[in-house]
């Protein structure tokens, strides 16, 4: 009997025992990630009297975009390290340790180590996040019907963790001290690591060894390359910290955004033109390209939650509840609350539509999600008008915006992931998922650059900025929706069947 045989038994709500290990590990990791993320822009833009860094909004949001974009981008080498060098279980463990160390560095009450902490958290998350998600799937046999519900439970842990992060780290960061909030994130990750280590036996041999290990000599070379990259990053960081070189975060974010976009287009084009695809596969690639465009624009708007919307909550929202002033970061928790509440409804919605033979294309679903998300900025347009008059607005403006953003997310995010798995050429499926993840990185960096235009000292311009974002994104969504009417045929093999049909045959599709 294999060491994974016990995974088939019901140990966690009828699922493998290993799911409980991953559920709580991810819950605490997300607590630390979202808790720290909620404080990041607030800390960077706080004045020196408030013990902040006193960065400009443009610099702070650019750094925020670079950080969140790097988190997604580093998942690509993180997955490679697990597959070729360490195996998933060890990569998760080391990633968690690096994350905890990053939060500890951020908790030290000195500004000089701030960027070191950010780099450590980003690198650790790149090691942990993709591999813990993949390891959930490894707990099940390919034909196990519990897989989808297992992932639903797992994502519930993600959202519970994010709520804890906003509540705990947000309170300590804004009411006690910024570094106390970062310290709370370190404690959360430490709890997750202890829990992971104590229950790691539940995972059996799932992803214990690399799935496709390198030969010993190549593995040594790979570690040397990783070491050289780490030393180079450390040297550049050190030179920037002591003032030897000057890095403009806004300019750097612009260059990185261009580099990621060109990388995405080049890799996508390489597979399309050089992958020896059939006519049907090429049509599906066009449908997938629409999904990628929608994803990029979606995340550039959605990720305003941690930057411009976070600052709006701090500066222009009345957060008093009696004599208690709610931390601005708490407002972000509504996204997670809405996801927990609405996810079952949307899961049932797509199933019921399918039963009625109503199956919108992936592109149309994503376009609808993009338009719904963009409508949230119409809400902010009206809220910003009140703020421009010198008034503090009620929290329900931001809550309504987060509600619309969440509905848009539930329309787009799971659908986009499903589209990548279905529309990618089978022999390029793994690479196309990596290419798709680049849309998260690009969207996050553009989000930071976009948020830099919100100048707190010039609140009169804020309504027009929110309106521009909304109208432009809605316009993109409408264009994608119109194109997606054609893409429904790209997503199936009906095109080839139609080409093969006799000239007198009907090509009308129900």
């Amino acid at each position: 009997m294999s060491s994974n045989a016990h995974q088939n038994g019901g140990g966690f709500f009828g699922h493998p025992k290993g799911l409980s290990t991953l559920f709580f590990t991810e819950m605490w990791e997300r607590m630390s990630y979202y808790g720290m993320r909620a404080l990041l822009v607030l800390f960077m833009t706080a004045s020196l009297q408030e013990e902040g860094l006193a960065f400009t909004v443009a610099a702070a949001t650019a750094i925020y975009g670079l950080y969140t974009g790097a988190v997604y981008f580093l998942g690509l080498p993180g997955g490679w390290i697990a597959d070729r060098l360490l195996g998933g279980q060890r990569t998760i463990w080391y990633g968690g340790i690096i994350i905890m160390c990053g939060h500890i560095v951020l908790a030290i009450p000195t500004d000089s180590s701030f960027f070191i902490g950010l780099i450590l958290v980003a690198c650790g998350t790149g090691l942990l996040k993709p591999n813990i998600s993949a390891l959930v799937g490894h707990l099940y046999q390919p034909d196990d019907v519990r897989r989808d519900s297992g992932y639903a439970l797992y994502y519930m842990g993600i959202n519970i963790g994010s709520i804890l992060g906003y509540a705990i780290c947000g309170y300590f960061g804004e009411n006690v001290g910024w570094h106390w909030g970062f310290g709370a994130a370190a404690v959360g990750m430490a709890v997750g690591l202890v829990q992971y280590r104590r229950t790691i036996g539940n995972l059996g041999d799932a992803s214990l060894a690399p799935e496709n290990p390198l030969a010993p000599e190549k593995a040594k070379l790979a570690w040397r390359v990783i070491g050289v990259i780490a030393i180079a990053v450390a040297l550049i960081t050190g030179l920037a910290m002591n003032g030897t070189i000057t890095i403009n975060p806004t300019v750097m974010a612009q260059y990185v955004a261009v580099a990621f976009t060109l990388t995405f287009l080049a890799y996508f084009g390489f597979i399309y033109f050089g992958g020896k695809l059939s006519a049907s596969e090429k049509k599906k690639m066009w449908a997938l390209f629409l999904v990628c465009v929608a994803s990029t624009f979606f995340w550039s708007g959605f990720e305003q939650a941690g930057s411009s919307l976070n600052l709006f909550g701090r500066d222009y929202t009345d957060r008093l509840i009696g004599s208690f002033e709610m931390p601005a970061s708490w407002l972000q928790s509504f996204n997670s609350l809405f996801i927990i509440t609405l996810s079952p409804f949307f899961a049932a919605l797509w199933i019921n539509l399918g039963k009625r033979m109503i199956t919108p294309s992936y592109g149309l679903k994503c376009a609808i999600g993009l338009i719904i998300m963009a409508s949230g900025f119409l809400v902010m347009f009206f809220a910003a008008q009140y703020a421009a008059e010198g008034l503090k607005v009620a929290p329900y403006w931001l809550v309504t915006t987060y509600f619309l953003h969440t509905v848009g997310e539930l329309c787009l995010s799971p659908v986009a992931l499903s589209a990548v798995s279905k529309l990618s050429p089978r022999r390029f499926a793994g690479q196309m998922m990596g290419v798709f993840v680049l849309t998260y990185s690009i969207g996050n960096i553009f989000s930071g650059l976009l948020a830099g235009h919100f100048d707190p000292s010039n609140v009169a311009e804020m309504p027009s900025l929110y309106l521009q974002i909304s109208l432009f994104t809605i316009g993109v969504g409408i264009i994608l929706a119109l194109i997606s009417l054609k893409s429904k045929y790209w997503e199936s093999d009906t095109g080839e069947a139609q080409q093969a049909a006799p000239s007198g045959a009907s090509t009308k599709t129900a």
Side-chain angles (χ1 to χ4, degrees):
M1 180 180 291
S2 70
S3 60
N4 250 1
H6 69 285
Q7 294 295 331
N8 294 323
F12 184 66
F13 295 102
H15 288 268
K17 291 180 181 179
L19 185 62
S20 66
T21 299
L22 303 180
F23 176 96
F24 288 108
T25 303
E26 179 69 344
M27 184 187 81
W28 287 111
E29 186 275 330
R30 290 290 91 180
M31 175 269 178
S32 72
Y33 174 79
Y34 283 108
M36 185 274 276
R37 197 194 73 160
L39 298 175
L40 202 52
V41 170
L42 300 179
F43 169 61
M44 286 190 285
T45 57
S47 65
L48 296 177
Q49 290 78 12
E50 297 171 318
E51 299 182 351
L53 297 179
F55 289 173
T56 65
V57 170
T61 55
I63 292 168
Y64 171 85
L66 284 167
Y67 164 71
T68 54
V71 164
Y72 289 108
F73 179 78
L74 291 171
L76 301 178
W80 185 88
I81 288 172
D83 288 342
R84 309 304 299 271
L85 296 173
L86 290 176
Q89 291 191 26
R90 284 195 293 169
T91 306
I92 292 167
W93 171 247
Y94 294 132
I97 291 174
I98 294 171
I99 292 171
M100 182 184 67
C101 291
H103 289 309
I104 291 172
V105 171
L106 289 171
I108 299 172
T110 175
D111 299 341
S112 59
S113 58
F114 174 71
F115 291 105
I116 297 175
L118 279 188
I119 291 170
L120 288 173
V121 175
C123 291
T125 306
L127 290 172
L128 183 146
K129 192 70 179 76
N131 295 305
I132 195 169
S133 299
L135 189 48
V136 172
H138 292 168
L139 298 177
Y140 300 90
Q141 297 296 327
D143 57 348
D144 196 326
V145 296
R146 299 174 298 169
R147 180 187 298 268
D148 288 348
S149 62
Y151 268 106
L153 269 175
Y154 170 74
Y155 283 113
M156 187 71 72
I158 290 175
N159 288 288
I160 293 172
S162 65
I163 293 172
L164 288 173
Y166 293 132
I168 297 171
C169 300
Y171 176 82
F172 278 100
E174 295 186 55
N175 291 71
V176 182
W178 301 113
H179 298 288
W180 284 87
F182 296 135
V187 172
M189 189 67 252
V191 172
L193 283 170
V194 170
Q195 184 277 147
Y196 179 75
R197 202 65 191 175
R198 285 176 62 88
T199 62
I200 196 170
N202 291 336
L203 300 175
D205 60 5
S207 198
L208 182 60
E211 296 290 330
N212 186 20
L214 289 176
E217 289 302 317
K218 289 186 177 180
K220 289 179 182 178
L221 177 61
W223 282 119
R224 291 192 189 103
V225 172
I226 292 170
V228 169
I229 293 173
I231 292 171
V233 171
L235 285 174
I236 293 171
T237 304
L239 293 173
M241 288 171 57
N242 66 21
T244 303
I245 59 174
T246 301
I247 297 176
N248 184 318
T250 303
V251 174
M252 182 178 179
Q254 292 170 347
Y255 280 120
V256 172
V258 171
F260 281 5
T261 303
L262 292 176
T263 301
F264 166 81
L265 293 173
Y267 213 119
F268 199 98
F270 172 76
I271 292 175
Y272 183 87
F273 292 106
K276 298 180 180 179
L277 306 183
S278 67
S280 174
E281 288 175 326
K282 285 188 174 182
K283 288 181 179 179
K284 290 180 180 180
M285 286 286 283
W286 276 112
L288 183 56
F289 185 77
L290 294 181
V291 172
C292 291
V293 171
S295 176
T296 301
F297 280 97
F298 178 87
W299 294 111
S300 66
F302 183 89
E303 283 297 329
Q304 297 295 317
S307 50
S308 68
L309 296 180
N310 201 6
L311 294 173
F312 189 93
R314 181 190 69 182
D315 298 332
Y316 306 112
T317 302
D318 182 7
R319 295 176 278 111
L320 280 175
I321 304 175
S323 59
F324 173 72
E325 185 174 40
M326 177 174 60
S329 53
W330 283 16
L331 290 165
Q332 295 180 63
S333 65
F334 280 96
N335 170 245
S336 299
L337 289 170
F338 287 140
I339 286 179
I340 292 172
T341 305
L342 296 175
S343 289
F345 168 77
F346 274 86
L349 173 65
W350 301 130
I351 292 173
N352 288 325
L353 285 176
K355 289 179 179 178
R356 290 169 173 77
M357 304 301 290
I358 302 172
T359 54
S361 68
Y362 287 121
L364 183 58
K365 290 178 182 177
C366 291
I368 291 171
L370 183 61
I371 292 170
I372 293 172
M373 184 279 295
S375 68
F377 289 105
L378 283 178
V379 176
M380 291 308 301
F381 163 70
F382 293 108
Q385 286 185 316
Y386 288 112
E389 295 173 4
L391 303 173
K392 283 205 168 187
V393 304
Y396 62 73
W397 291 98
L398 274 173
V399 172
T400 303
T401 298
Y402 288 139
F403 173 80
L404 291 170
H405 283 194
T406 303
V407 173
E409 180 185 5
L410 291 171
C411 285
L412 182 141
S413 186
V415 169
L417 290 171
S418 176
V420 177
S421 65
K422 181 179 178 181
L423 300 179
S424 298
R426 187 171 297 276
R427 60 192 178 281
F428 294 111
Q431 294 176 66
M432 284 307 303
M433 184 61 76
V435 172
F436 177 72
V437 168
L438 277 176
T439 66
Y440 297 167
S441 296
I442 297 167
N444 274 268
I445 295 173
F446 277 122
S447 174
L449 291 170
L450 194 60
H453 293 288
F454 290 86
D455 185 357
S457 63
N458 196 358
V459 66
E461 290 186 359
M462 197 174 294
S464 64
L465 285 169
Y466 279 126
L467 184 62
Q468 289 171 25
I469 293 173
S470 180
L471 294 180
F472 178 77
T473 310
I474 288 173
V476 172
I478 291 173
I479 292 171
L480 291 176
L482 293 173
I483 298 175
S484 70
L485 297 177
K486 173 74 172 176
S487 76
K488 184 171 184 177
Y489 301 100
W490 298 343
E491 294 174 7
S492 67
D493 294 323
T494 55
E496 290 184 350
Q498 290 167 5
Q499 291 172 7
S503 59
S506 171
T507 58
K508 186 175 180 180
T509 303

